[in-house]
Amino acid sequence: MDYVYGPGKNHLFVPGPVNIPEPVLRAMNRNNEDYRSPAIPAMTKTLLEDSGTGAWESALTNTLSPGDRTVSFLIGQFSLLWIDQQQRLNFNVDVVESEWGQGANLDILAEKLAADHSHTIKAICIVHNETATGVTNNLATVRKLLDHYRHPALLLVDGVSSICALDFRMDEWGVDVALTGSQKALSLPTGLGIVCASPKALEASKSAKSVRVFFDWNDYLKFYKLGTFWPYTPSIQLLYGLRAALDLIFEEGLDNVIARHTRMGKATRLAVEAWGLKNCTQKEEWYSDTVTAVLVPPYIDSAEIVKRAWKRYNMSLGLGLNKVAGKVFRIGHLGNLNELQLLGCLAGVEMILKDVGYPVKLGSGVAAACAYLQNNIPMIPSRI
Amino acid sequence: MDYVYGPGKNHLFVPGPVNIPEPVLRAMNRNNEDYRSPAIPAMTKTLLEDSGTGAWESALTNTLSPGDRTVSFLIGQFSLLWIDQQQRLNFNVDVVESEWGQGANLDILAEKLAADHSHTIKAICIVHNETATGVTNNLATVRKLLDHYRHPALLLVDGVSSICALDFRMDEWGVDVALTGSQKALSLPTGLGIVCASPKALEASKSAKSVRVFFDWNDYLKFYKLGTFWPYTPSIQLLYGLRAALDLIFEEGLDNVIARHTRMGKATRLAVEAWGLKNCTQKEEWYSDTVTAVLVPPYIDSAEIVKRAWKRYNMSLGLGLNKVAGKVFRIGHLGNLNELQLLGCLAGVEMILKDVGYPVKLGSGVAAACAYLQNNIPMIPSRI
Amino acid sequence: MDYVYGPGKNHLFVPGPVNIPEPVLRAMNRNNEDYRSPAIPAMTKTLLEDSGTGAWESALTNTLSPGDRTVSFLIGQFSLLWIDQQQRLNFNVDVVESEWGQGANLDILAEKLAADHSHTIKAICIVHNETATGVTNNLATVRKLLDHYRHPALLLVDGVSSICALDFRMDEWGVDVALTGSQKALSLPTGLGIVCASPKALEASKSAKSVRVFFDWNDYLKFYKLGTFWPYTPSIQLLYGLRAALDLIFEEGLDNVIARHTRMGKATRLAVEAWGLKNCTQKEEWYSDTVTAVLVPPYIDSAEIVKRAWKRYNMSLGLGLNKVAGKVFRIGHLGNLNELQLLGCLAGVEMILKDVGYPVKLGSGVAAACAYLQNNIPMIPSRI
Amino acid sequence: MDYVYGPGKNHLFVPGPVNIPEPVLRAMNRNNEDYRSPAIPAMTKTLLEDSGTGAWESALTNTLSPGDRTVSFLIGQFSLLWIDQQQRLNFNVDVVESEWGQGANLDILAEKLAADHSHTIKAICIVHNETATGVTNNLATVRKLLDHYRHPALLLVDGVSSICALDFRMDEWGVDVALTGSQKALSLPTGLGIVCASPKALEASKSAKSVRVFFDWNDYLKFYKLGTFWPYTPSIQLLYGLRAALDLIFEEGLDNVIARHTRMGKATRLAVEAWGLKNCTQKEEWYSDTVTAVLVPPYIDSAEIVKRAWKRYNMSLGLGLNKVAGKVFRIGHLGNLNELQLLGCLAGVEMILKDVGYPVKLGSGVAAACAYLQNNIPMIPSRI
């Protein structure tokens, strides 16, 4: 049943799906239940509401009508796929492209907003953290621009590789729809798309003319009001898993979870620097604390690094996708992960770099990361 | 975490989600994996392709265009919901209604096919087994009619509560799209919609103009051809679970699985008869071997039976839905289930009937079921 | 890996090992931990202390010296094995034998105590519930006799198939050592022997000269005092499982757990009576609420019943052992079990009786059990 | 339920209990079964036969009689505990003591064997790998000496932290009893003691007069001959777990498992050397590939290192025990473990050393280990 057994734990360092904590696996290790019994609504009440791709479609079709103009930023593979979806759903997509490795060009957004006196822009669609290049966009600035130009466009945010890992402020930043997937920072299996909508987005959904059934918020809202929550059969296992995943996040404290991701990102970048390699992300302001895309020298195929990681070291790294295929490999450092796991990964990357002919000084990256981490890892609160 | 603990096993007799076998739970008890590693395509290759509601939408939007005429049979709550979806997706739905408890009116289908010289009917949409009333439709006759009138309409079949439990012949009956969900006869958690398309359906998908992204077969076909299978992150756990579920079905033998469901259906109906109650299904030709809807006398609220089952006996029965709410309760007898489990359920139902004031003779239903089963249960092949 | 797959749940009705509740399985689904970390003592503190056979040896060797006289009651296979152990450990065992199906002969005990002016009897060894015959001994009377004759003998009780299922009063009955195993009413896997000792037993252990190392209480007491609890590596999984098992018992309420076993025993005996069969237990005063041994007519081999249960109905019943081999089969009704599970079992037994040629009236036993249970099953407290 | 939650995986680097592989956890995630059904003997047949402490007692009491002379080597805490057991079991123990950090003094063994013309020595008791000091004894030499002096003493070997990890040759070295525990290199939970006896040991058990019941081989042999294997209720879960653990070892290949442990040991020692610290093991010939005891400078309390590992880095290291308490900390590198896991551990140890004031050069140990490993890790066979 396990076709490619290797000894020891697999070192899972792709930017999703990520490692699932044991208490979450335990919570999901259960038979089915009747979701119409009083037990499931009682438990669901303790949770909040609904895979990236489906969540995207949910956000778009519930708030917009065919032909509506959206401003959307193309900065990597995942923003590209979302734009593709917007186009297939027949929106009028105004694409703002940046070089891969850069963040969303907010100067151009400012220009477009300034020029849009008649409010033809119905929504700004932005990926908070572009998983393909390791770029985090500044959502606070987007909100500032919308406010400055008093523009009523909806702010739709893909938080797939950011929510529960990076600082994310739904209310303060006036986000209208925020979405993520269970297999990312929540550290669950794939299967839940989580969509949070502002009152403004819910209002927009009443008049949005996009055809939708499976993703229609109305069906969910109807059962929400009835207190039974689920229009169709949910995955009992994922609900209990989500309950356990949230319990773990609350136990650690969301601020501590975010601080841990900040440490992981910083430590990884210090290692990359020590190896003499470049971060695909061109400026510090866009550095991502959930995924680092590492540029390799032209004489190396980054796919070979990913392949070696898996074949020799039982480690999963992220491939370079599309425009950066062969040029970058990615280290995912999000979800339920700690520093020694990351250091094992960095030690592995060093050996692989040597394997493929890059003149790395073994131990250099780990040393740089350790020098920072040894000063910054806090005591585990429950163990003090 | 378990809000409503009761001692012993919950007796899960709703028509889905159903009991998950231990080997399947075990197979799903695992950490995430990188779905881009060679392991997942290798395993996926051993499986076939993608919740009821989503599978419905997949079947419809990939084969039909807005405005297309469908003939669709309204015989219970689930056929009703599918029709509602067809209407919301802007098809021209020609609804053929039957009294709840009857099967699809195929005489009217014959008339419509006979009259449709210009082939305006693009698809026949039919639920193989209506879970709300326990009615199984005769798909062989539908095919016979289509052939008789040499009508090219697609045959789209909801096999949610039939596939892997009832006799189902995709090729022989010329089914163009067949769909089911993981939480039914496959005995998995909710989360997989399984859609099988004929070459004719795949051909139709090339010209179908319904807007679709998440459910678009093209994305799946593209990755299918690449041999990597998955356009988006799949649930690793459900894939391994499906592998285990199929292994169990093959170990038992699909014919034996179907024969077991036949026994379960028959035994349940004999008990209902012994209790002096009526089956919601009006004629023997429509009797369902996966779910039995039992009509209660007018002075009893069937919802009270379901409530008592759960509150006193730790058993989950199916409610009556919509038109038959309060009038029927349902016994689901599908999936990985054996005869003694069913007999425990039937004994429980007898006690509940007495609880709510129905003058049942305790033991009568169990006796009737046992008299049949004792003559018909085969030896377990692996134990002979 | 599962050599003898049969569809559906196995119906486990042997008197141990018993069904494990899902929350317990979940609690044990975990990696190893360092048992010397502060986590394990903290958790152990919430538990109490240490398989039947091993627990027997622990009770005996820690309190007695070679040559010591014990009075021990032979009433079935498990009391026989304990006596065998006492003899092999070189005690002077004064065996009081009863016909299998009868309880301990307490009249003879009275005589022996009355005659033992010099207190040569060092311990009374008694099985609370003889699992082979379904006989429960009256421990209160044993205590009364000891008190009446002011006899200082230790009272050593095998509570393997009674503790956590039958009424058991360590303090009130002056039990000096009580022992059980995890695979019985606690509903855990095999692996823990639980031994509770009175202050008097602990005192006796200081001078007991039996050779012991693995089972020596002193090693446990030493680490108990240190607050680290474990002299050797414990099973982390069983500790967490025990925590979960106790939580379930406390959630249900120990009195309710015992009342549930009383219902199960009564219902089973009513079924046996309805079938026209005899209970191996000869008098009502000895009836066991955890296991019922059913006598079959001479023309039937009870082993054939057990074999058929497993081969045709996926049910596990208990064999007749030793003197009652071929003459009785046993229904275990202890642990985390509810009434509908038992009724499924009883329905199965009826069919098997018919299979082997006994002229049972199908449904009769279930009817008798239901008539009683329908009046006596309480609402599940958490669901009211 | 998890009192001391820390994010990410716990880094378990004690010399047992060790990490359990996922397929093994899955195999054990199951309900109880009737161990008297034909399924369990069928499965048991595929396994071999029976915690450290209990296995010790089993080996001794089945082969020796009170008063028998044993030669036993005191080289650390675990050999000490075994000697204590031998004394408590009333053997005449001839203790050969070495400084902790040295191996068994085989010169003295040679002298004793040479002098023992009347064959008063009944057994040589030797720990293959002393877990407290990381010392591996040379069993081949022991056999050579026995053969040279034509001495018939039994060779009883504690293989707890060696079997399935180090080279171990039962037949070639003429080992009479070899024992291990499930929680060590087999990577299972605690709960199984595995004892292998030679024909000579079985012969000795016929006349051995030590009192034994729970551990008596005769009971096992009786049921072994009957083909039902188990005199008492075994842990179904551990049996299935053992099956899975053996499957994994056979899939990797036992030679590859041993080679992996050799790499792990060598890499760890290279790191220790790079840190400028000393191995507790005094000579290369005794270096252990399953556990490394690291001496710390006198101004550091090694217990503080272990405490910090757990409180700050979510890592479990082994304490120094008894004579070396406070002086050494231990890195366990046995069981189902791979190189990147070890490198994460070594990086962690470096940071902790700095935490406690030792002037380590961060990255130095990891660099030394990587330089060796990068040249020596093979491709994973199933992934080539």
Side-chain angles (χ1 to χ4, degrees), chain B residues 2-11 19-23 25-26 29 248 251-252 260 310-315 336-338 340-341 343-345 347-348 351 354-355 361-363 366-367 370-371 373-380 382-384, chain C residues 2-11 19-23 25-26 29 248 251-252 260 310-315 336-338 340-341 343-345 347-348 351 354-355 361-363 366-367 370-371 373-380 382-384:
Chain B
D2 291 297
Y3 294 89
V4 286
Y5 174 71
K9 301 279 173 201
N10 171 259
H11 299 268
N19 293 291
I20 307 175
E22 272 207 6
L25 281 176
R26 277 199 289 279
N29 182 34
L248 290 182
E251 165 135 12
E252 186 175 0
R260 179 164 52 77
W310 194 72
K311 291 198 165 186
R312 193 175 188 207
Y313 300 95
N314 201 0
M315 174 158 65
N336 197 278
L337 194 75
N338 60 35
L340 298 200
Q341 290 178 278
L343 290 168
C345 164
M351 293 194 288
K354 192 133 200 185
D355 283 359
K361 193 185 155 219
L362 289 174
V366 170
C370 281
L373 289 171
Q374 192 261 333
N375 279 314
N376 288 282
I377 297 175
M379 300 300 267
I380 299 170
S382 63
R383 300 186 185 177
I384 295 175
Chain C
D2 291 297
Y3 294 87
V4 286
Y5 175 72
K9 301 280 173 201
N10 171 260
H11 300 268
N19 293 292
I20 306 175
E22 273 207 5
L25 281 177
R26 277 199 290 279
N29 183 34
L248 291 182
E251 165 136 11
E252 187 176 359
R260 178 164 53 76
W310 194 71
K311 290 197 166 188
R312 194 177 187 203
Y313 299 95
N314 201 359
M315 174 157 66
N336 197 277
L337 193 75
N338 60 36
L340 299 200
Q341 289 178 277
L343 290 167
C345 164
M351 293 193 289
K354 192 133 201 183
D355 284 359
K361 193 184 156 216
L362 289 173
V366 170
C370 281
L373 290 171
Q374 193 260 333
N375 279 314
N376 288 282
I377 297 175
M379 299 301 266
I380 298 169
S382 63
R383 301 186 184 178
I384 294 174

Side-chain angles (χ1 to χ4, degrees), chain C residues 29 41 49 63 120 134 160 258 269 307:
Chain C
N29 183 34
E49 275 93 54
T63 56
T120 61
V160 168
I258 293 169
R269 293 189 294 270
K307 201 186 286 177

Side-chain angles (χ1 to χ4, degrees), chain A residues 5 8 312 336 355 374 377, chain D residues 5 8 312 336 355 374 377:
Chain A
Y5 175 71
R312 194 175 187 206
N336 196 277
D355 282 0
Q374 193 260 334
I377 297 175
Chain D
Y5 175 71
R312 192 176 189 204
N336 197 278
D355 283 359
Q374 192 260 334
I377 297 175

Side-chain angles (χ1 to χ4, degrees), chain C residues 82-111:
Chain C
W82 198 17
I83 287 166
D84 173 63
Q85 187 185 64
Q86 291 163 40
Q87 290 165 336
R88 287 158 72 181
L89 291 169
N90 299 320
F91 302 125
N92 171 17
V93 192
D94 190 346
V95 177
V96 180
E97 191 164 358
S98 301
E99 205 180 324
W100 289 35
Q102 297 189 346
N105 191 327
L106 301 185
D107 294 340
I108 295 184
L109 175 64
E111 283 166 27

Side-chain angles (χ1 to χ4, degrees), chain C residues 304-362:
Chain C
E304 183 62 26
I305 290 175
V306 175
K307 201 186 286 177
R308 285 233 150 208
W310 194 71
K311 290 197 166 188
R312 194 177 187 203
Y313 299 95
N314 201 359
M315 174 157 66
S316 297
L317 296 171
L319 285 163
L321 299 173
N322 201 328
K323 282 200 183 177
V324 292
K327 297 181 184 163
V328 311
F329 67 92
R330 293 176 297 144
I331 301 174
H333 32 77
L334 75 165
N336 197 277
L337 193 75
N338 60 36
E339 292 82 1
L340 299 200
Q341 289 178 277
L342 179 65
L343 290 167
C345 164
L346 296 177
V349 169
E350 296 188 1
M351 293 193 289
I352 299 159
L353 288 170
K354 192 133 201 183
D355 284 359
V356 298
Y358 178 75
V360 72
K361 193 184 156 216
L362 289 173

Side-chain angles (χ1 to χ4, degrees), chain D residues 67-78:
Chain D
D68 276 1
R69 180 180 173 202
T70 62
V71 173
S72 214
F73 301 91
L74 200 177
I75 64 166
Q77 178 68 2
F78 293 95

Side-chain angles (χ1 to χ4, degrees), chain C residues 237-251:
Chain C
Q237 291 74 18
L238 281 171
L239 293 185
Y240 280 101
L242 179 57
R243 181 66 271 156
L246 293 172
D247 288 346
L248 291 182
I249 287 171
F250 296 148
E251 165 136 11

